[in-house]
Amino acid sequence: MSFIEIRSLSHRFADGTIGLDRIDLGVESGEFVVVAGENGSGKTTLLRHLNGLLLPTDGEVIVDGRSVAADPVRARLKIGMVFQDADSQIVGQTVAEDAAFGPENLGFDRQQIDRRVRSALEAVGLAHAADQAPHLLSGGEKRRLAIAGVLAMGPEGIAFDEPFSNLDYAGVRQVLAQMVALHRSGHTLVVTTHEVEKVAAHADRLVILHRGAAVLSGPPAVLFPDLERYGIRQPCAFKLGKEVGSWLA
Amino acid sequence: MSAFEYRPGGSFLHGLDPRTKLAAAAVFALVGLAASLPVLAVSGILIVWALWRAGVGPRQWVRDLRIFWMMLLFLFAVRAVTGSGPALVQVGSLGVTAQGLADGGMICLRLSIVALAGIGVSAATRPSEIEAAVQALLRPVPFVPEKRVATILGLVVRFLPEVLREVRLTKEAQMARCIEQRKNPIARLYLFAVPLLRRIFVRADRLAMAMEARCYSDNRTGPVLSAGLTDTLCLLALGLLVMLSLL
Amino acid sequence: MNEDISRPEVIDRTQVRMMVYTALMAALTAAGAWIAIPIGPVPIVLQNMFILLAGLVLGSRWGTASVAVYLLAGACGLPVFAGGMGGIGRFVGPTGGYLVGYLPAVFLLGRVSEKRPTVLFDVIGMILATAVIYGVGTAWLHALTGLSWPKTLAVGMIPFLPGDAVKIVAAAGIARALRPIVKME
Ligand SMILES: Nc1ncnc2c1ncn2[C@@H]1O[C@H](COP(=O)(O)OP(=O)(O)OP(=O)(O)O)[C@@H](O)[C@H]1O
Ligand SMILES: [Mg+2]
């Protein structure tokens, strides 16, 4: 069984809007999956289901063998969530306090928390900024802090919602390097984006979301020709007939 | 840097447990309201000394508390001319009396002690330590969920700069749309507040969701505080002060 | 990771949301002390409008909590009273009574506006709340200054009433626009 199993998942909002439409998707343990789609295609809605922040109106989501609806807390421990808006997920007044928020909620004792925070901040290269106020960080650093915040909880997978939005070139590279390192250390990654170009070279698989439905799934290079049809920008290199390289190169 | 902001340091005040500092501020509030002149004078000297050691000199607190001092000046003036007894100086129809001057002086001294003690806490204690102390001090109070209170306090401190930034942005946006030119004050308030609040509440929703995703819970690990010998001695001294002020 | 953890007793979504809103209204109240909108010759300060909105939008329970948190934060020396004075000093200064008055005022406003969701009840509640704030505020001012009552009111209430009327009418409209956002699903 896959690490994440999404079976015929539909979500209809209270006002009748169809957010997700019968999605079937499996994500293997250790896989790096990019979910691409235009604005309003349902990316955020889909990710929220991985953590039980939204519950299916039909179908089900299973994380590591157990239904998210039945046990959302377990799903949140298995999959850490890095939200689209980096600013509004900062809880603490210093970088270290923010990274400690998750482990504190899990009831670890203070020493364990300090150890987890230290290693999480080291992993994202923010150890030097531990006592700084988070709102003074750059955009890329804020995203990395958000990553540290979930890493400190020890998840097996991490879901990123539009991790490159509002980032400059340097910020994109920082965050991308972080994702590649996480993937290498065995984490399962689910990344939503409408900027396929930035991650394509590192992803194992690309899933295209269109009006709430998962319309295509396969190796990124194979799906490039179809992107434009679904309102997603094709990588420049692909248009020029070249191989799509890494943004880290 | 203002006197109300935490300034890192290793002074006597910095070294105290935050609970001790909150207790001290409360005791000095009592002293300020109830104590006699000698106790007030001693307390005043102690506070000014501790502040000075913590890096907040008179120049700082005179400047940063200027609105407070102006209010005290107003109080002093009012008191000076409303006292009873023979007038020392006549200003128009108002007479400045000796009793009025003495009353005014005492009230100002009392209130300054309370205010300066408060500065001592802000300048030498991190906000997170203050939250920890509040949580610890509220624990025995029934019906108060102290962990949640501490979380909310932390969120207030976290939100404040963000709110101020949003306020500035909203004002700029309004200027760009010439809303400042509107005559109707009600419409102006409405057009200022609704977009501001709407944006801020959307942010709050996202924050709540992020907290939920990180398993925000009631059995979360609390902060660790440790009081030492100095704290015990300070508490004893504070107890003495309380007795002296109530005598 | 294989350290043992006890299962977190996660807090219900609505509760977390209300806690965040409570903190937010407290932060707005703190910010409101600095926000002045120039209307006519005198700028009006928005703090008491945010107090009224806390009662209207969050209701008696959470509205009172937000004011209590604001006062508690200030009393403990958290930097929410900055911009001229801080800590407990704010409570004992001449304007301290108004601050303390916020607490019963918001509770009362919340109770009244919860009775019936109409503009009329909102406005009645706000008028009562404003009366409570001035009652406590001027009583302290009177005690501290020793001024006669007519003079106390002339200094500590009358000049602000026109501004308060504007704020009450505006707050009634703002609350109507805001409630659907804050309303729980
Ligand atoms: N609470 C809600 N109530 C009603 N409709 C909603 C709600 N949240 C989202 N939607 C709608 O559901 C659809 C999917 O939204 P979603 O936010 O998941 O898209 P997205 O792919 O993340 O878009 P973006 O790229 O803009 O972030 C959109 O049409 C959106 O308007
Ligand atoms: Mg989205």
Side-chain angles (χ1 to χ4, degrees):
Chain A
M1 190 184 233
S2 313
F3 179 58
I4 302 171
E5 291 247 345
I6 298 171
R7 294 185 189 149
S8 176
L9 168 66
S10 295
H11 189 95
R12 179 200 289 270
F13 287 103
D15 64 357
T17 316
I18 306 284
L20 297 176
D21 187 14
R22 283 163 297 167
I23 292 190
D24 281 292
L25 181 67
V27 176
E28 300 306 320
S29 183
E31 201 179 2
F32 186 157
V33 175
V34 170
V35 177
E38 60 188 345
N39 284 142
S41 56
K43 304 181 293 290
T44 301
T45 310
L46 177 64
L47 283 200
R48 286 184 178 167
H49 280 83
L50 300 184
N51 253 339
L53 298 169
L54 284 175
L55 295 176
T57 43
D58 206 8
E60 69 178 334
V61 180
I62 295 169
V63 170
D64 199 23
R66 207 167 141 69
S67 155
V68 175
D71 195 349
V73 175
R74 181 172 173 278
R76 289 168 201 162
L77 294 173
K78 293 276 176 194
I79 301 178
M81 187 75 74
V82 176
F83 291 87
Q84 188 162 355
D85 177 6
D87 276 294
S88 53
Q89 63 186 299
I90 295 169
V91 185
Q93 293 156 39
T94 66
V95 166
E97 281 171 29
D98 188 67
F101 182 74
E104 280 171 356
N105 288 328
L106 303 183
F108 289 116
D109 67 37
R110 201 34 78 176
Q111 278 156 351
Q112 283 173 317
I113 292 173
D114 289 344
R115 204 171 51 220
R116 279 166 172 259
V117 167
R118 207 172 319 118
S119 76
L121 290 181
E122 269 161 20
V124 301
L126 281 178
H128 63 280
D131 291 322
Q132 210 166 308
H135 65 261
L136 300 178
L137 298 178
S138 74
E141 287 171 329
K142 279 183 190 159
R143 280 275 150 63
R144 276 149 60 204
L145 173 57
I147 297 171
V150 298
L151 272 185
M153 297 173 74
E156 289 167 38
I158 301 185
F160 293 84
D161 197 4
E162 302 275 5
F164 307 120
S165 59
N166 298 324
L167 292 188
D168 59 11
Y169 182 58
V172 170
R173 285 170 54 103
Q174 286 172 18
V175 173
L176 187 58
Q178 199 63 57
M179 293 198 285
V180 170
L182 288 168
H183 184 218
R184 207 170 283 147
S185 63
H187 288 88
T188 310
L189 302 187
V190 180
V191 179
T192 73
T193 186
H194 56 266
E195 300 156 299
V196 173
E197 178 175 47
K198 292 175 181 168
V199 278
H202 302 282
D204 297 322
R205 188 149 56 103
L206 183 61
V207 174
I208 295 178
L209 220 53
H210 183 66
R211 298 198 182 145
V215 287
L216 286 175
S217 165
V222 176
L223 296 190
F224 287 153
D226 298 303
L227 289 179
E228 219 101 294
R229 189 144 50 91
Y230 296 109
I232 306 164
R233 187 164 177 270
Q234 282 170 331
C236 286
F238 173 77
K239 283 193 201 163
L240 298 173
K242 294 191 212 144
E243 193 193 340
V244 178
S246 166
W247 269 50
L248 295 176
Chain B
M1 189 195 284
S2 111
F4 307 102
E5 277 170 70
Y6 171 72
R7 48 190 68 211
S11 80
F12 167 72
L13 268 186
H14 285 87
L16 287 178
D17 185 290
R19 289 167 294 184
T20 313
K21 285 183 265 192
L22 285 188
V27 166
F28 284 119
L30 176 75
V31 167
L33 294 180
S36 56
L37 187 57
V39 180
L40 283 175
V42 172
S43 304
I45 292 169
L46 276 177
I47 294 172
V48 170
W49 171 79
L51 275 176
W52 176 66
R53 295 300 308 271
V56 189
R59 199 181 314 156
Q60 207 107 41
W61 46 259
V62 167
R63 194 191 58 204
D64 291 334
L65 279 180
R66 61 184 173 277
I67 295 180
F68 181 71
W69 301 129
M70 271 165 6
M71 291 218 271
L72 284 197
L73 205 63
F74 159 78
L75 255 182
F76 183 75
V78 171
R79 280 283 172 175
V81 297
T82 52
S84 53
L88 299 175
V89 191
Q90 198 71 33
V91 189
S93 63
L94 302 167
V96 176
T97 62
Q99 195 220 339
L101 287 177
D103 273 2
M106 264 310 256
I107 285 206
C108 291
L109 178 60
R110 288 177 186 285
L111 299 191
S112 333
I113 291 212
V114 183
L116 290 178
I119 288 197
V121 179
S122 315
T125 323
R126 284 173 210 283
S128 57
E129 286 180 304
I130 295 181
E131 287 148 38
V134 170
Q135 184 177 328
L137 294 172
L138 286 179
R139 193 163 303 137
V141 182
F143 306 117
V144 176
E146 70 280 351
K147 283 188 176 178
R148 295 191 185 189
V149 172
T151 303
I152 298 178
L153 281 178
L155 290 177
V156 175
V157 176
R158 175 208 175 281
F159 270 132
L160 195 51
E162 202 168 310
V163 166
L164 289 171
R165 195 173 57 230
E166 288 291 337
V167 166
R168 211 181 42 240
L169 292 177
T170 310
K171 276 195 171 164
E172 283 166 12
Q174 279 198 311
M175 271 191 245
R177 295 166 53 207
C178 299
I179 290 171
E180 307 270 296
Q181 307 304 324
R182 287 227 189 188
K183 284 281 180 296
N184 182 347
I186 295 169
R188 270 172 58 182
L189 270 185
Y190 184 90
L191 292 174
F192 169 75
V194 170
L196 170 73
L197 291 169
R198 198 171 267 159
R199 261 209 312 275
I200 292 185
F201 271 97
V202 168
R203 297 276 205 96
D205 266 349
R206 292 196 196 133
L207 178 70
M209 189 174 272
M211 287 170 70
E212 204 184 346
R214 286 208 261 164
C215 300
Y216 177 53
S217 76
D218 263 338
N219 51 347
R220 62 197 311 266
T221 309
V224 270
L225 293 171
S226 61
L229 180 62
T230 333
D231 290 287
T232 317
L233 292 176
C234 277
L235 287 178
L236 286 176
L238 289 172
L240 195 66
L241 261 180
V242 172
M243 285 194 322
L244 283 175
S245 2
L246 294 179
L247 276 184
Chain C
M1 306 245 172
N2 44 18
E3 293 150 293
D4 283 335
I5 51 165
S6 57
R7 232 185 122 69
E9 288 168 29
V10 293
I11 298 170
D12 170 71
R13 168 173 304 182
T14 338
Q15 295 277 312
V16 179
R17 218 134 7 104
M18 288 317 279
M19 286 173 66
V20 175
Y21 288 165
T22 300
L24 187 62
M25 281 315 296
L28 272 166
T29 306
W34 296 295
I35 311 175
I37 299 263
I39 283 175
V42 253
I44 63 173
V45 173
L46 293 192
Q47 182 166 57
N48 56 353
M49 188 175 86
F50 289 128
I51 292 284
L52 297 177
L53 285 172
L56 290 178
V57 175
L58 300 183
S60 57
R61 182 158 169 253
W62 292 102
T64 311
S66 87
V67 176
V69 160
Y70 167 65
L71 297 178
L72 178 68
C76 299
L78 286 170
V80 295
F81 283 169
M85 60 199 277
I88 280 186
R90 183 79 175 244
F91 286 97
V92 295
T95 57
Y98 300 96
L99 283 181
V100 176
Y102 287 159
L103 208 53
V106 161
F107 181 73
L108 183 66
L109 169 57
R111 290 313 284 266
V112 173
S113 75
E114 278 158 359
K115 277 246 173 342
R116 249 180 243 152
T118 62
V119 178
L120 182 66
F121 271 68
D122 288 355
V123 171
I124 293 174
M126 286 193 277
I127 292 172
L128 290 175
T130 307
V132 169
I133 295 172
Y134 281 117
V136 183
T138 52
W140 178 241
L141 189 62
H142 171 74
L144 208 57
T145 57
L147 284 172
S148 69
W149 268 110
K151 280 189 184 148
T152 308
L153 296 184
V155 178
M157 181 171 103
I158 314 259
F160 307 109
L161 290 180
D164 287 328
V166 169
K167 287 183 236 179
I168 287 179
V169 178
I174 297 166
R176 283 187 78 75
L178 221 56
R179 277 189 181 127
I181 304 177
V182 176
K183 216 181 71 192
M184 298 293 116
E185 283 136 24

